[in-house]
Amino acid sequence: MAPRILLCGDVLGHLNQLFKRVSSVNKSAGPFDAVLCVGQFFPESPEQVDEMMAYIEGGSQIPLPTYFIGDYGVAAPKILLSASKDIANRGFKMDGLKVCDNLYWLKGSGKFSLFGLSVAYLSGRKSPGIQQFGTFSQDDVDALRAIAEEPEIVDLFLTNEWPSGVTNRAATSDIPAGLSDSTGSDSTISELVEEIKPRYHIAGTKGIYYVREPYSNVDAVHITRFIGLASVGNRDKQKFIHAISPTPASTMSSAEIAMKTTNTTLSPYTFVDKKSSPKDSTKRSSESISDSQYWRYDVSQKRQKHKSGDGDKMCFKFVSSGSCPRGEECNFRHDTDAREQCMRGVCFDFLNKGKCERGPDCNFMHSLQDEGDRLPSRMPGSENTRSSRSKECWFCLSSPNVESHLIISIGENYYLALAKGPLVEDHVLIIPVEHMPNTLSLSSESELELFRFQNSLKRYCKNQGKEVIFFEWVSIRGTHANLQAIPIPSSKAVIVEKVFNLAAQKLGFKFVAKKFDSISDGRKFLKTQIDGNSSLFYAEVPGDTILLHHVEEKERFPAQFGREVAF
């Protein structure tokens, strides 16, 4: 079944009115899965702050998961800075920083999966000069341009401001009276929409409801629908809630994606005048466009090519997502170790330059969490003692950063915890109590406890008609080990091995598959495969089969491979 989403315009702090309407629509036409808000989310005046704080502090309840990008207005800096400092919101959180129950802030720019839908967003308004809170930066724009190069079709694109030119060439009878295409519009948004080519583009800030005729895209077979939404409680009683139920493009056939309506128009952005200077035009039309969008920090400085000394800089695209569409042609370094560190909340600037100019205002960690000395040798002043790792590591029980509310059971050598970013219900991690780089390096005595955890999970899932997939990424520079356990319906157990093999084929390698009589025999085999000189990935799939792949030193292997296959 396709996900059902409610779209909303500028909330302006009117949360009571918004959620009353959401509850009513959900009851009469639901159930809906989530609410996506564009335009200014926070109040315009201090008098409305109490109404918002009632939800933030838990006195009032939010009926559906709600995501917003309009991070400006009264009380926005105070509330959102507090959310940014929450330990749970550290690291790359493109799927939203949790502000309170069922309320998530989509910060900066990014892309995430929401009930199978690919959702991209640009939060804040365009800065008139020096960047300030509630505005987007060139960094954010460059990151989206990198996303635009990915082959995946973006289902929804959320912006606060309208793109300039969107009403041009449309049927004039559909354009609301008094609507000016220039007021509250931004050419930067137009350029991004033209590059990203989303199936739906949703925007607010103009205070009107407007659904444009679908338009075709240049160099893409699918069409785009633009939806502009009015503000909550507007005097003209224009529509501020709009329901959609799009089938994720990832599940559609080529014929379905290419279908067009009878009222499809040409893209309005092919007619928008390009006002960029000759210098900008050169940047956008030449190969140098790739350099700026893959280098997210210090974009104001002139960047040189790989041959001129930028080869030691890391590719932000690779570090943030685990892959880079430019492959070997990328002028920046694809560093798997740095990606692992960033996924655990370490500052990208710190990893890349050895320092962070944001200092105490940075919400990321400025110390490494690595067993080896290869990365620390590049980072002057970094500390790598066991005590400092335990303090920073999210998985060490002695760390103040450990999320104790996720812990299910603690044994002598291992503990069981719910996954912080679960793929499915009951997605759990089996984690060594000791700070160890992988579960295969622990003693034989501790294996007995691991077997008990695994067998207990299998029995629990079997009672629910499910099987369990176990997998682990064993890196030679691993941090704190975790063996992931993901339940799947028993009906899909027979295809799991095939799915893993297909994913491996796409990356250009083949799994070594071995069948064993028990988990114990399989683990004994895996222990013989680690030598400390190479990394490996393994999965224990239904049927007592082990899938193993040794990862070579220079091989580009996504650290999140197991999660991506399971998802």
Side-chain angles (χ1 to χ4, degrees):
M1 175 180 279
R4 308 189 70 196
I5 308 295
L6 289 175
L7 308 173
C8 179
D10 303 64
V11 177
L12 300 173
H14 299 301
L15 268 63
N16 287 342
Q17 189 169 353
L18 167 63
F19 293 129
K20 180 180 179 181
R21 178 64 175 154
V22 166
S23 297
S24 175
V25 172
N26 194 46
K27 184 177 181 180
S28 61
F32 287 90
D33 297 301
V35 181
L36 303 179
C37 299
V38 294
Q40 183 174 335
F41 188 78
F42 288 83
E44 290 186 296
S45 64
E47 291 77 19
Q48 298 167 289
V49 173
D50 288 344
E51 179 179 327
M52 171 163 276
M53 291 308 298
Y55 290 90
I56 303 298
E57 295 172 352
S60 300
Q61 303 302 310
I62 299 174
L64 289 176
T66 301
Y67 300 78
F68 67 90
I69 58 172
D71 49 357
Y72 50 92
V74 177
K78 178 181 178 181
I79 293 173
L80 298 183
L81 285 174
S82 176
S84 298
K85 294 177 181 178
D86 190 326
I87 294 174
N89 287 329
R90 285 184 176 177
F92 287 105
K93 294 284 293 180
M94 290 189 181
D95 57 345
L97 277 66
K98 185 175 181 179
V99 179
C100 64
D101 286 344
N102 268 351
L103 185 61
Y104 302 91
W105 169 31
L106 300 175
K107 180 183 180 182
S109 68
K111 184 180 73 171
F112 69 106
S113 179
L114 181 66
F115 300 102
L117 294 169
S118 173
V119 182
Y121 59 87
L122 179 63
S123 191
R125 301 166 294 184
K126 187 173 184 178
S127 174
I130 300 175
Q131 188 182 359
Q132 52 189 314
F133 195 90
T135 62
F136 62 80
S137 67
Q138 187 61 42
D139 286 3
D140 299 318
V141 173
D142 289 340
L144 285 175
R145 287 189 171 132
I147 287 172
E149 288 195 0
E150 296 178 352
E152 179 189 22
I153 295 176
V154 171
D155 292 304
L156 309 179
F157 182 37
L158 312 178
T159 64
N160 292 307
E161 295 167 307
W162 283 37
S164 60
V166 70
T167 57
N168 291 351
R169 316 290 174 173
T172 55
S173 60
D174 289 340
I175 302 176
L179 172 59
S180 168
D181 189 66
S182 59
T183 305
S185 301
D186 184 8
S187 60
T188 302
I189 307 296
S190 304
E191 294 169 5
L192 285 174
V193 175
E194 189 178 9
E195 294 176 36
I196 295 172
K197 301 176 178 62
R199 293 172 60 211
Y200 288 84
H201 177 202
I202 302 98
T205 70
K206 280 205 175 186
I208 62 169
Y209 173 69
Y210 171 61
V211 178
R212 191 200 188 278
E213 291 179 327
Y215 61 83
S216 58
N217 288 287
V218 178
D219 299 327
V221 298
H222 64 276
I223 61 175
T224 295
R225 291 174 167 85
F226 173 79
I227 303 172
L229 291 160
S231 57
V232 175
N234 65 90
R235 294 179 179 179
D236 297 329
K237 296 185 178 180
Q238 292 209 41
K239 190 174 180 180
F240 63 84
I241 285 281
H242 184 90
I244 59 173
S245 183
T247 301
S250 59
T251 66
M252 298 170 67
S253 66
S254 299
E256 290 173 326
I257 291 174
M259 286 183 63
K260 293 179 173 58
T261 61
T262 55
N263 62 337
T264 298
T265 72
L266 294 175
S267 170
Y269 308 117
T270 58
F271 301 98
V272 176
D273 293 333
K274 305 297 182 183
K275 299 180 180 179
S276 56
S277 65
K279 179 181 178 181
D280 291 336
S281 298
T282 301
K283 179 182 177 182
R284 294 296 305 282
S285 60
S286 72
E287 187 182 353
S288 65
I289 180 175
S290 299
D291 289 341
S292 66
Q293 66 195 39
Y294 280 75
W295 174 248
R296 187 165 181 175
Y297 294 93
D298 293 341
V299 293
S300 60
Q301 302 178 19
K302 185 177 180 180
R303 289 284 160 200
Q304 302 296 322
K305 296 291 185 184
H306 178 102
K307 61 185 180 182
S308 301
D310 249 359
D312 62 331
K313 299 295 191 298
M314 291 185 293
C315 170
F316 176 80
K317 176 60 186 170
F318 179 84
V319 171
S320 63
S321 68
S323 63
C324 171
R326 295 194 308 171
E328 295 181 355
E329 296 180 0
C330 182
N331 294 315
F332 300 101
R333 184 158 47 88
H334 293 171
D335 195 319
T336 302
D337 300 320
R339 170 161 171 74
E340 292 178 2
Q341 293 287 343
C342 282
M343 292 300 292
R344 288 165 173 79
V346 179
C347 172
F348 181 82
D349 265 2
F350 174 79
L351 289 169
N352 198 56
K353 297 185 289 187
K355 63 179 181 179
C356 174
E357 297 172 356
R358 288 169 290 180
D361 293 329
C362 181
N363 295 315
F364 297 90
M365 292 182 285
H366 296 149
S367 62
L368 295 173
Q369 302 174 60
D370 199 300
E371 287 288 330
D373 59 1
R374 182 173 176 179
L375 275 174
S377 67
R378 297 203 301 260
M379 306 301 170
S382 64
E383 296 180 5
N384 196 37
T385 62
R386 180 171 294 273
S387 60
S388 65
R389 285 198 303 269
S390 295
K391 282 185 178 181
E392 296 289 352
C393 179
W394 290 8
F395 292 138
C396 282
L397 291 178
S398 60
S399 169
N401 295 332
V402 69
E403 303 201 37
S404 57
H405 66 286
L406 298 176
I407 296 175
I408 301 171
S409 176
I410 300 178
E412 185 176 345
N413 301 292
Y414 284 92
Y415 71 92
L416 191 68
L418 293 171
K420 183 178 177 182
L423 297 178
V424 295
E425 187 177 0
D426 293 329
H427 176 181
V428 300
L429 308 179
I430 305 175
I431 306 169
V433 171
E434 185 180 356
H435 190 93
M436 298 295 290
N438 61 74
T439 66
L440 300 177
S441 59
L442 269 72
S443 66
S444 300
E445 291 76 14
S446 66
E447 286 284 284
L448 296 175
E449 187 174 76
L450 178 62
F451 298 155
R452 288 197 292 271
F453 270 126
Q454 287 185 285
N455 286 324
S456 295
L457 287 171
K458 282 187 172 183
R459 288 194 298 271
Y460 169 75
C461 290
K462 187 175 183 179
N463 291 335
Q464 298 181 335
K466 297 178 181 179
E467 300 279 350
V468 186
I469 303 170
F470 298 96
F471 61 81
E472 182 179 8
W473 164 235
V474 180
S475 170
I476 56 174
R477 287 173 289 277
T479 54
H480 197 134
N482 61 88
L483 178 64
Q484 303 210 30
I486 301 180
I488 61 168
S490 297
S491 59
K492 295 184 177 181
V494 294
I495 66 170
V496 170
E497 186 173 346
K498 181 179 180 181
V499 172
F500 268 97
N501 285 327
L502 287 173
Q505 185 179 346
K506 288 184 177 180
L507 290 179
F509 71 88
K510 290 184 178 180
F511 275 113
V512 173
K514 289 186 175 291
K515 190 176 180 65
F516 296 92
D517 293 331
S518 66
I519 294 177
S520 175
D521 291 340
R523 298 279 303 180
K524 288 178 182 177
F525 162 72
L526 288 171
K527 281 178 172 290
T528 66
Q529 301 300 303
I530 56 172
D531 56 11
N533 297 318
S534 63
S535 303
L536 62 86
F537 173 88
Y538 71 90
E540 301 175 31
V541 300
D544 295 320
T545 299
I546 298 287
L547 301 177
L548 172 67
H549 173 57
H550 286 278
V551 182
E552 301 299 329
E553 177 70 24
K554 295 183 179 180
E555 181 181 346
R556 294 191 178 95
F557 185 83
Q560 300 298 310
F561 177 78
R563 287 177 59 92
E564 292 169 1
V565 174
F567 181 75

